[in-house]
Amino acid sequence: MTTKTRIRGMIAALLLTLTALTASTTPAPAEPDPPPATISPAGVDLHDGMAYKDGGTYYLVGSMYGCGYQWYVPSPWCGFGVSTATSLDGPWSTPTLLFPANEIDPYSGKTFASLCATVNGHGCFNPRMAERPDGVWVLWFNQPDSRVSTTTHAYWIMGCNGPAGPCGNSAGIPNGSTHKPTLHQCNGENGDFALVPDPAGGAAIICSYGGTLAAERLDKWWANGTGQGATALAGLADVEGVGAWRDTATGTWVMTYSEKCGYCTGTPTGYATAPTLTGPWTAPGNLGWSAPAGGRRDFSLGCGGQARTVSIVDGVPYQGIDLWIGQRNETSAGLLLSPLTYTPTTGAAGDGKVWRPPLSLTC
């Protein structure tokens, strides 16, 4: 054996040894984190609300029915409750009121118990809590009858003394207040809505009336509209229960909504997307003779309930779903918080290819 041959053999053996050592010391690829689980908060009479977190505490707010409220029936209004937990899995505390039912509306001098009950049982709904950049917590909600009785809009804002309240004028120092906001794009609206903070510290509301949607940016106090916004979002009709968030991976704003159907079980949930919070919003169309409008925009049957709004908790967008029982009193209706996954897709109606909605949730 020549010297060159021996050297080549030694080099080959050394390379094999190095390869084996590298294989034994290189860590295996990390397993991806499991997706967040769908949460089903139990034992709380809280509906059409939202979840949020402050510090190490989780909060859940919603409309209550246990005092006997019935939709569109003369009955008492039960108020907005808030429960707390150390985990989204619970257990959740017994709800307390964000503000007392006898809180006075400073404009009419009437109590919210009377304004929200009314002789027709129009109610008050959609409590939306959020923390402004200055650390002040605010509560928005809608009182549908005020659109009927004052021909303005249905929305109210209260300053709160913390993430669990109390809110409103009766809360007093440091931040208690009650205010009827000035609105433009959302003036005249009275339906479900979303309060949507943006990454820059601003916020907007997306409001509904008669099944159409509008968006309006708010001032720095999140107390009045600025007139910057749009109406007839995505050309949608007959929708409600709106929510929205910005997908951090793509920078796309994503909006969900339910097809309009009061207290229905298994209401389709649709979506639209936009480059900015106020639009322009687009929803996928559908083609064909007598094609249903929601043929491509709907991505879920609401897990047997009705989608409400989107809550961002620990950086994850959760679709809130009320599992209605189809009655005018919904005390025993269940609730789901299902994580939303957005994966952009390509294609359009009529391209002859498989359609896969970019949004998904787990029931």
Side-chain angles (χ1 to χ4, degrees), residues 271-298:
Y271 79 98
T273 58
T276 70
L277 180 49
T278 52
W281 289 92
T282 57
N286 196 11
L287 296 178
W289 291 270
S290 301
R296 291 201 174 204
R297 75 189 192 197
D298 292 337

Side-chain angles (χ1 to χ4, degrees), residues 156-185:
W156 288 90
I157 177 176
M158 289 182 174
C160 306
N161 288 339
C167 306
N169 281 336
S170 65
I173 297 172
N175 300 311
S177 60
T178 301
H179 176 62
K180 187 76 169 173
T182 299
L183 297 174
H184 307 273
Q185 282 81 5

Side-chain angles (χ1 to χ4, degrees), residues 10 21 40 63 75 91 96 119-120 130 154 161 169 181 183 193 201 241-242 288:
M10 293 172 62
L21 288 172
S40 182
S63 301
S75 53
T96 58
V119 295
N120 299 312
N161 288 339
N169 281 336
L183 297 174
F193 74 103
V242 64

Side-chain angles (χ1 to χ4, degrees), residues 176-258:
S177 60
T178 301
H179 176 62
K180 187 76 169 173
T182 299
L183 297 174
H184 307 273
Q185 282 81 5
C186 285
N187 195 44
E189 310 295 274
N190 77 340
D192 297 339
F193 74 103
L195 174 60
V196 189
D198 67 33
I205 63 168
I206 302 178
C207 52
S208 66
Y209 179 67
T212 64
L213 300 177
E216 181 168 350
R217 283 201 169 274
L218 302 176
D219 63 16
K220 67 177 182 178
W221 307 116
W222 300 6
N224 295 292
T226 62
Q228 298 174 307
T231 59
L233 304 186
L236 296 169
D238 295 322
V239 300
E240 57 188 355
V242 64
W245 84 100
R246 183 179 180 272
D247 177 64
T248 54
T250 63
T252 301
W253 284 91
V254 186
M255 176 171 67
T256 65
Y257 47 84
S258 63

